[in-house]
Amino acid sequence: MTAAAHAPDPRLSPAPRVLAPPGRAVGALSALHAVRGDSEHLLAELTALVGAAGARADDELLALTHLVAAPWRHEALSVDVAAEDVPAWSAAIDEHGGVAAVWTDAAGAVVVQGPERARPGALGALFEHRQGRGRAVVFPGQSTLSGDVAVAEILARTAVDMVRSSHGPFAEDAVVTASEFLRPVREGGRLVLLVGHRDPRRLVAWEVPNPTPCCAGH
């Protein structure tokens, strides 16, 4: 991981160790946003800056929101990115301003950047990511979904591991409606899409977009 311009802060010791897969890095970000939609906007803005810097499209990008308690309750983020893209993300965070970040790679190295007041939130998001929790805003395979998509296709095309309905069993050929907006939750490191249904062949995701969706297309 190459973001050495930002030296580790000894006050964070002992730092949590989130071991990313080889070739990947995990970043936890906080701008102390009280509203979840604002954290999604932040993610969209940073992603755009990373793309503008010439970083390649990362088909394995996983981005999660986390409700954290420190320094007060707010919505933070974590991102699982290609290790080679960390410099572009780090530069985007600096350019954006107001964002604290904690990065860790497969070797367990920890690098911090950004305002000190927001670092507890970034550490909280890092802990949540380490525990296998979160709410996915971006996940591998997401871009392949459009319209009504069969559960079997979601499981085959994307990183979603399970579709679970609060109303019990559903048909093997069931479809999920409005699949352009899906926010699976992470449970024990597995992505679970929570749905409900009246018709066992038509499932509806529990979380739906606002009347004016945040960051349309992201």
Side-chain angles (χ1 to χ4, degrees), residues 29-124:
L29 320 174
S30 174
L32 300 176
H33 287 311
V35 179
R36 178 180 285 173
D38 291 341
S39 66
E40 290 201 23
H41 275 299
L42 172 62
L43 174 65
E45 291 165 356
L46 293 176
T47 303
L49 289 172
V50 169
R56 63 175 177 78
D58 184 356
D59 294 335
E60 296 302 310
L61 174 65
L62 174 66
L64 308 165
T65 63
H66 305 277
L67 180 62
V68 299
W72 51 76
R73 285 172 64 86
H74 69 280
E75 293 283 343
L77 296 164
S78 68
V79 292
D80 180 327
V81 305
E84 65 190 48
D85 292 340
V86 170
W89 278 88
S90 182
I93 289 167
D94 283 343
E95 180 178 346
H96 186 282
V99 181
V102 181
W103 292 94
T104 186
D105 62 11
V110 174
V111 174
V112 299
Q113 68 181 113
E116 184 173 348
R117 68 190 184 97
R119 289 180 187 176
L123 285 169

Side-chain angles (χ1 to χ4, degrees), residues 119-175:
R119 289 180 187 176
L123 285 169
L126 193 62
F127 176 80
E128 289 297 306
H129 189 105
R130 177 186 183 185
Q131 298 302 309
R133 296 190 289 256
R135 165 186 168 271
V137 179
V138 178
F139 53 92
Q142 183 181 35
S143 63
T144 69
L145 304 178
S146 179
D148 295 350
V149 180
V151 168
E153 293 184 19
I154 293 174
L155 298 178
R157 293 182 192 174
T158 78
V160 173
D161 297 296
M162 179 188 302
V163 176
R164 185 169 71 222
S165 176
S166 60
H167 296 132
F170 48 83
E172 290 186 3
D173 59 350
V175 300

